[in-house]
Amino acid sequence: MTDPRSEDAPDVQEALRRRILSAAADLLNREGRDALTTRTVAAAAGVQAPTLYRLFGDKRGLLDAVAQHGFTAYLRDKERAAPRADPADGLRDGWDLQVAFGLAHPAIYVLMAGDPQPRGVSPAEAAGREHLRRKLRALALAGRLRVSEERAALLLHAGCRGWILTLLSLPEAERAPELSILAREGVIASLVTDAAPITVSGPAGAAVQLRAHLPDADGLSPGERALLGELLDRLAAGD
């Protein structure tokens, strides 16, 4: 057991935190969420229960940290992927990587995605959203996004997460790879035009493209920028 008197130093606390999260993730993968109790995690990590409470607060804090640990690993793989010339192909790569991660680590993925809570966005999750936002911004600037960037991000996230949870509910023999491709292409086709240059279609399409240029527009006060952004969002949504 770890001597509590040695746990005050920041580097020691960080090492303990990593050890506990690794032990918890291993338990989760091997035995499922029901096995993830403060007692079993503390025993697997070789620490006393007070150490766990001091670092994570309670079981909910531990579960959140384990989900964050899994998300960070997923994001690290995502950022290693080579950039694609067509941002739409980048969306496909991101979908496929998330599906692969979810199927390879079902317990961690369900903990990450299947238990939504109204808590703040973690740094890793914020980085993941920014990763997706850059791809959508490139499509919007090219006039290829059918809806606003915010709606596209929400629909992609919901579509991919829902599909992974559906796959996990099926026997492995029924998880045909082509089904994931069909689901992916259906969602992307509803959001993105093909790669051919097009004329922006209608007020909504023009608003999506102009909204993508707004962060780089000069000569606007913060209030003017906010007002124009609100108006463009409403046009892009067809309201």
Side-chain angles (χ1 to χ4, degrees):
M1 293 294 181
T2 302
D3 180 359
R5 293 171 299 178
S6 67
E7 296 174 5
D8 293 333
D11 58 334
V12 174
Q13 288 197 351
E14 181 57 29
L16 283 170
R17 182 181 175 86
R18 288 197 300 267
R19 193 165 87 210
I20 291 169
L21 288 176
S22 178
D26 185 57
L27 275 171
L28 187 63
N29 278 322
R30 286 188 291 104
E31 302 181 33
R33 180 169 174 170
D34 289 344
L36 214 65
T37 67
T38 53
R39 180 181 60 80
T40 58
V41 172
V47 300
Q48 296 177 348
T51 298
L52 193 148
Y53 288 115
R54 182 164 61 253
L55 292 173
F56 301 100
D58 54 17
K59 183 178 178 180
R60 181 70 256 177
L62 175 64
L63 290 174
D64 288 346
V66 173
Q68 173 65 18
H69 182 71
F71 192 90
T72 301
Y74 157 68
L75 184 62
R76 188 164 51 244
D77 289 340
K78 190 171 186 178
E79 289 179 336
R80 278 200 293 260
R84 302 292 292 268
D86 184 348
D89 287 335
L91 297 181
R92 292 181 173 93
D93 291 344
W95 178 291
D96 292 344
L97 180 61
Q98 190 166 346
V99 169
F101 179 87
L103 295 181
H105 307 281
I108 288 180
Y109 188 83
V110 169
L111 187 60
M112 287 167 52
D115 187 20
Q117 297 288 333
R119 294 182 289 276
V121 177
S122 68
E125 189 174 358
R129 292 183 182 185
E130 180 58 30
H131 191 87
L132 175 59
R133 191 176 297 118
R134 287 196 297 268
K135 297 175 183 176
L136 294 174
R137 175 65 51 82
L139 289 164
L141 288 170
R144 294 178 55 200
L145 206 55
R146 300 180 188 276
V147 298
S148 71
E149 295 169 49
E150 290 74 17
R151 286 195 174 186
L154 181 62
L155 290 167
L156 275 166
H157 178 69
C160 191
R161 179 172 67 178
W163 179 241
I164 294 169
L165 294 176
T166 298
L167 285 175
L168 291 175
S169 72
L170 298 174
E172 287 191 33
E174 297 179 19
R175 298 173 187 174
E178 61 270 20
L179 294 178
S180 184
I181 295 173
L182 287 171
R184 180 194 72 195
E185 292 305 304
V187 172
I188 292 177
S190 71
L191 304 176
V192 180
T193 67
D194 60 29
I198 63 166
T199 300
V200 178
S201 175
V208 169
Q209 191 171 16
L210 182 55
R211 183 69 173 82
H213 285 280
L214 188 58
D216 301 319
D218 296 326
L220 295 176
S221 69
E224 291 169 337
R225 193 184 300 273
L227 177 59
L228 181 56
E230 181 180 349
L231 293 173
L232 290 172
D233 286 341
R234 290 178 60 185
L235 283 171
D239 296 339

